[in-house]
Amino acid sequence: MSSAPGVTVSNHSSVSHTVFHLLGIPGLEDQHVWISIPFFMSYVIALLGNSLLIFIIFMERSLHEPMYLFLCMLAGADLVLSTCTVPQALAIFWFNVREISLDRCITQLFFIHSTFIAESGILLLMAFDRYIAICYPLRYTSILTHTLIGKIGVIAFLRSYCSILPIIFLLKRLTFCQNNVIPHTYYEHIGLAKHACNDIRVNIWYGFAILMLTVVLDVLLIFVSYILILHAVFHIPSQDARHKALNTCGSHVCVIILFYGPGIFTILTQRFGRHIPPHIHILLANVCMLAPPMLNPIIYGIKTKQIWEQVAHVLLIKQK
């Protein structure tokens, strides 16, 4: 039995789509070129900022400390997260490239979700780093050795990849016989699964369980870490020492708010903002992917003296 292009025959239904079409931002198609400008600028800033951060930390031996090594991991995750989403959106905005195969859909959403979870795990490790630095300053370097940092960094990435890997098989088992047009700039798990004819309750419950056991658990542990940090800080007798201890956490707190804040706001608008236009939801979802990679290196560059000095040193050398 023959089948149309982008469609395969399935026992469950007459056809199963193997090609999908991204609409970009529906309702704002005539504005795609203008919308692409902040997308492109954000991506360039994210690429340059995070690459420069990794280069400086890698080259400068004085920055081979636990906090900066975790920051290097965060910058790497930011590069992957932005590269998984922005080029696809720009291809839609500039060249009207909307078709993408099912395998590429699943590959994209795998890296988006796994990198998001990895970044959440890295933020938890950075909270742990601040807890050790403030609560056990004399044992800081003996506890957080380079070997331990490497091991827990690998565990953070393995956790993300292993938790998202089953989603590939959960999606591959589905028959996509419904509409193959997706109103978005990138693919995500449930957004793709909703186009299947099968029962997707397993996908929904697995996705919910993974969210609870990774991102939500990370948020709770970060919250506990900062309660312990504040408890230790306010027992420091010197006011200057208290201020210095809190200042070392400032950049991390800003990055935490930047990473989790837009996501929480997006979930709330999807749950309660039923009258909000679809393009607003899609723009908010893109902010979640664009803002942290673009702003994280700026936040750490401005608020961390050692990094700022090294950035200035590199730029001055290039000018000479």
Side-chain angles (χ1 to χ4, degrees):
M1 180 177 175
S2 62
S3 59
V7 169
T8 58
V9 178
S10 170
N11 293 329
H12 184 276
S13 179
S14 57
V15 295
S16 178
H17 295 291
T18 57
V19 173
F20 290 84
H21 302 265
L22 286 169
L23 286 184
I25 303 177
L28 297 177
E29 286 87 353
D30 57 336
Q31 303 295 322
H32 273 179
V33 173
W34 295 108
I35 294 171
S36 72
I37 296 173
F39 272 70
F40 177 72
M41 291 178 65
S42 300
Y43 185 51
V44 170
I45 293 170
L47 282 181
L48 293 177
N50 287 291
S51 298
L52 181 60
L53 201 58
I54 292 170
F55 174 77
I56 287 171
I57 293 172
F58 182 77
M59 295 299 294
E60 182 57 43
R61 293 187 63 84
S62 65
L63 297 180
H64 290 182
E65 297 179 7
M67 183 179 79
Y68 301 112
L69 295 177
F70 288 130
L71 180 56
C72 193
M73 295 180 195
L74 184 69
D78 280 337
L79 284 174
V80 175
L81 192 63
S82 57
T83 301
C84 283
T85 54
V86 182
Q88 176 70 53
L90 293 177
I92 296 170
F93 297 154
W94 290 345
F95 308 112
N96 204 33
V97 178
R98 300 173 186 272
E99 286 192 0
I100 183 170
S101 68
L102 176 60
D103 289 337
R104 283 186 61 197
C105 296
I106 294 174
T107 301
Q108 184 188 45
L109 67 87
F110 171 79
F111 281 105
I112 289 173
H113 290 313
S114 60
T115 306
F116 188 87
I117 291 174
E119 192 154 339
S120 178
I122 294 167
L123 290 176
L124 173 59
L125 295 179
M126 294 174 81
F128 175 67
D129 166 75
R130 292 298 84 205
Y131 168 73
I132 299 296
I134 291 171
C135 297
Y136 304 98
L138 298 179
R139 298 173 56 196
Y140 179 59
T141 54
S142 63
I143 293 174
L144 287 176
T145 62
H146 286 184
T147 302
L148 180 62
I149 292 168
K151 287 179 179 178
I152 58 179
V154 169
I155 290 171
F157 282 98
L158 284 178
R159 180 192 71 154
S160 64
Y161 293 135
C162 291
S163 61
I164 299 300
L165 189 62
I167 287 177
I168 295 176
F169 303 101
L170 290 175
L171 287 171
K172 293 290 280 186
R173 72 184 178 88
L174 298 176
T175 302
F176 297 95
C177 58
Q178 296 189 26
N179 185 7
N180 67 337
V181 177
I182 297 178
H184 215 305
T185 57
Y186 61 85
Y187 295 92
E188 51 91 20
H189 175 210
I190 299 302
L192 181 60
K194 283 180 179 177
H195 287 72
C197 301
N198 316 66
D199 186 347
I200 63 169
R201 280 179 294 183
V202 174
N203 295 67
I204 293 171
W205 281 110
Y206 183 79
F208 178 76
I210 290 301
L211 181 67
M212 292 294 109
L213 293 172
T214 55
V215 177
V216 174
L217 181 60
D218 290 344
V219 172
L220 292 175
L221 292 175
I222 289 170
F223 182 70
V224 171
S225 296
Y226 271 95
I227 289 176
L228 296 173
I229 288 170
L230 289 174
H231 180 266
V233 166
F234 289 117
H235 280 78
I236 298 174
S238 169
Q239 185 174 351
D240 289 339
R242 282 201 302 268
H243 182 267
K244 184 178 179 180
L246 288 173
N247 192 51
T248 62
C249 299
S251 301
H252 186 235
V253 172
C254 291
V255 169
I256 289 171
I257 294 170
L258 183 63
F259 182 75
Y260 294 112
I264 293 170
F265 185 70
T266 299
I267 292 170
L268 291 175
T269 56
Q270 289 176 345
R271 177 66 181 84
F272 301 106
R274 299 185 183 278
H275 301 295
I276 297 176
H279 66 265
I280 298 297
H281 291 296
I282 295 169
L283 286 171
L284 284 172
N286 278 281
V287 168
C288 294
M289 298 295 167
L290 282 169
M294 177 184 70
L295 296 177
N296 284 351
I298 296 174
I299 291 170
Y300 272 97
I302 291 173
K303 294 186 70 66
T304 308
K305 182 182 177 182
Q306 294 90 330
I307 292 177
W308 176 247
E309 287 175 348
Q310 291 302 320
V311 170
H313 179 66
V314 169
L315 293 177
L316 286 172
I317 288 175
K318 286 187 176 181
Q319 286 179 358
K320 290 179 181 179

